[in-house]
Amino acid sequence: MSSTVSPMADVKVLETAADLSALREEWEELASRCPEHRLSQRYRWAAVAWRTVAAPRGRRLHILTLRSGGRLVGVWALVSHLDKGLRVVRQLGAESSEYTEPLVEPGPHQGEWFERLWKAVRPLGDLLFMPHVRSDSPLARLTGRFCLRCFVDNELNAPQILRAAYPDWEAYLATVTTSHRSNLRRKRRRLSDLGKVTFRREVTPVDPATIDAILAHKQAWIERRGYHNEWLAQREYRDFLCAMTSDPQAPGSLCLFLLCVDDTPVAFQIDAVDDRRIEGLIGCQDPAWGRYSTGELLLQDSLQWAFQHNRDIDFRIGDESYKSAWARLDCLTFNCLVGLSLRGMAVVWLRKIAKGLQTLRFRLGLGRLRHVLRRR
């Protein structure tokens, strides 16, 4: 929906949990006027994240609201904390893998409103940390305009599938390699020999014990492969997932997909499903069923569900091989550190210089030379 209100908009900073609760109705109305919004931009995500993640960690709340003609046209829920004497601001959320982006009503003035919110962050602290900014977002364009204040790193792809690019599921499936399709059919037949295989979306509250099992399976998988994850084992993230799956019928909730054999769950997938897309958050399989690749079979079933319900698919950040087997497009994402104060700007420029020197050193071959000298 295009906005017809005046571009002149007033920014206000709200700082209490009561302020957050009072915004619920207006926030949801704003989301309904933003057809491209994600689940992580909705009120429920922010409210649950404040209760289960930010408040327990002692964060300070800052909710930027943007109004034009009295109507809420933009909201950016932020929190801040002290780190080595500097106040660091970041988006309110699970502090895991969600994208950073304010919710701003689309229309001819959207760019101006994004900039108003961007500038309103400056008095809140020394640094603004924005993880997982999508390169196709208005926020990314602002980081380009204010590049002297920004340090960008950790550039990673977010693979995706656009539903509109294919007439139906069968047309899309034909783009998957013949060997991959054949392998999945073989494994599904083998699994079917052990019992009735079913796929379902959970519609009842998810037992916290199920969340615990999913996180344990995922953490074990990460450790076996020598990967590192900073937030998966944190109590606050577990509490966030439990709260977001406690009422699957509530607007803005996460959903759980299951693959079962004779009603026994053998693979699990927690996803964020909105009106436009399905975003994969955590997928895992029971190790006892690992030889049948039940996690891959569940992924296939969830992709088919997305096609049947006219949803795009966002595999989220990372270039894991299982994603490349299915995805056909990538969107670059990056982390961005923004200097808000003079002290914050000093940190940003020190990081820029360090990164520049590191790049120069390897371009000149000094890194290889040092390695050769050490061997001698």
Side-chain angles (χ1 to χ4, degrees), residues 256-291:
L256 174 65
F257 291 109
L258 298 171
L259 187 74
C260 301
V261 177
D262 288 338
D263 295 326
T264 298
V266 297
F268 314 80
Q269 193 170 300
I270 299 175
D271 292 333
V273 179
D274 56 46
D275 294 338
R276 180 65 182 268
R277 67 186 66 79
I278 175 173
E279 296 183 56
L281 298 185
I282 299 179
C284 67
Q285 61 189 14
D286 187 329
W289 298 81
R291 62 184 296 189

Side-chain angles (χ1 to χ4, degrees), residues 92-108:
L92 171 61
E95 299 188 13
S96 55
S97 65
E98 61 258 74
Y99 299 116
T100 297
E101 186 166 3
L103 181 65
V104 179
E105 186 171 317

